[in-house]
Amino acid sequence: MAKHWTRRQVLAQIGIAAAAVHTLDPHELCCAVPAHAKTTDKDLFELKKVADGVYAAVAAAAYKVNSNAAVIVTDDGVVVVDSHSKPSAARAVYTEIQGITKKPVRKIVNTHFHWDHWQGNEVYAAANPGLEIVASQRTRENLTRPDAGAGGIPFIEKQLAGVPSEIEKLKGDIMRASNPEMKSRLEANLQQAEAYLQELKQLKPMLPTRTVSTTVTLHEQGREIQLHLLGRGHTDGDLYIYLPKEKVVATGDALIDWMPFFNDGYPEEWVQTLNALEKLDFTHIIPGHGEVLPKAHLTFFRGYLTDLITAVKTASGGGATLEEMQKKIADQLAPKYEQAMSKYPLGRYRDRIGQNVEMVYRKVVKKG
Ligand SMILES: [Zn+2]
Ligand SMILES: [Zn+2]
């Protein structure tokens, strides 16, 4: 039975109720998007069939971003991987799931602790008594650690402190908007930010009720679901959900169709972890963001990580400053990666390359 915690209860429980709340650094946002990103209130998700009884709920591009979900129907219930950034988004997916099956949702699996992958857990818990929420042991810890990064209960407090200034900035941008099209986009973003703030204030964080610290097989009725811990990568607790019979893997943000987000990541280990993932026999990837992908995308995405790491090491070895590296490497890797890493209005090559270079420089070259 999933236990309901209020945010305050959890904060008190972990002894950080009085922890300083600081303003949100935009770099801390897992999936911060440019203010001009396309937004829609309806059609938040499209449910796409990947195999018999296996679906990807592919999130539409939205200013307040949502993760994808994997929806796996078993003989006696449903397993859902990731629950997006907010209850309203989880509700939208849950409604779509109920259009496929009236079976209860038995399990939620959270791939990692980032805010846009778990903040909708409460919706499934409220509607499904006995729901289990499964995550890696490390993810469970990260969800309450004040210094964990871009997700968890302390990060909700940071967002509550940060979103009001984001709203003020959007209001200022709207006043200064030079054309009607830009203005209406910003107004839509403002609406989303205001609605998101209201949801954040009401959020009832639902932490994992079951953790795994090694690879396990869930023997659901009529469906084998494996949970793999393959090493550190996008975070230190990434979980891969693998269906051996259907040859499908759900990867969270360890493998996406956007540019990667490195802030809580381990660039060199990430490459090794993807090598381990490659050994599994699968044909389809349900990524954390973007459309369902073929296995070949792993090679491409890992190629970007290795080329980026090599480029940063070479440039810094040659004495380049961070700013010089950011400019040089952005142009250097563009022919191979810019187009394929800019398919969506979010997480595009030029939006993230500077930040990617900086993170790899700090984590790989400066080791800290
Ligand atoms: Zn994400
Ligand atoms: Zn993430």
Side-chain angles (χ1 to χ4, degrees), residues 305-317:
L305 301 185
T306 52
D307 286 353
L308 175 67
I309 292 165
T310 304
V312 170
K313 281 181 173 172
T314 306
S316 71

Side-chain angles (χ1 to χ4, degrees), residues 164-180:
S165 33
E166 184 185 325
I167 288 170
E168 287 314 304
K169 182 178 179 304
L170 282 167
K171 285 180 179 166
D173 291 347
I174 289 167
M175 303 263 282
R176 288 185 296 274
S178 52
N179 67 67

Side-chain angles (χ1 to χ4, degrees), residues 26-96:
H27 284 207
E28 288 177 283
L29 285 171
C30 169
C31 305
V33 300
H36 57 271
K38 177 171 158 268
T39 67
T40 60
D41 278 329
K42 34 185 192 299
D43 302 327
L44 279 171
F45 293 91
E46 193 180 343
L47 216 52
K48 296 185 176 176
K49 186 173 170 181
V50 182
D52 241 7
V54 180
Y55 302 84
V58 177
Y63 168 73
K64 277 297 173 196
V65 71
N66 282 303
S67 67
N68 291 342
V71 177
I72 305 162
V73 182
T74 73
D75 288 349
D76 71 341
V78 184
V79 177
V80 180
V81 178
D82 284 342
S83 68
H84 335 295
S85 63
K86 48 194 170 290
S88 61
R91 234 168 266 129
V93 171
Y94 188 47
T95 303
E96 291 209 40

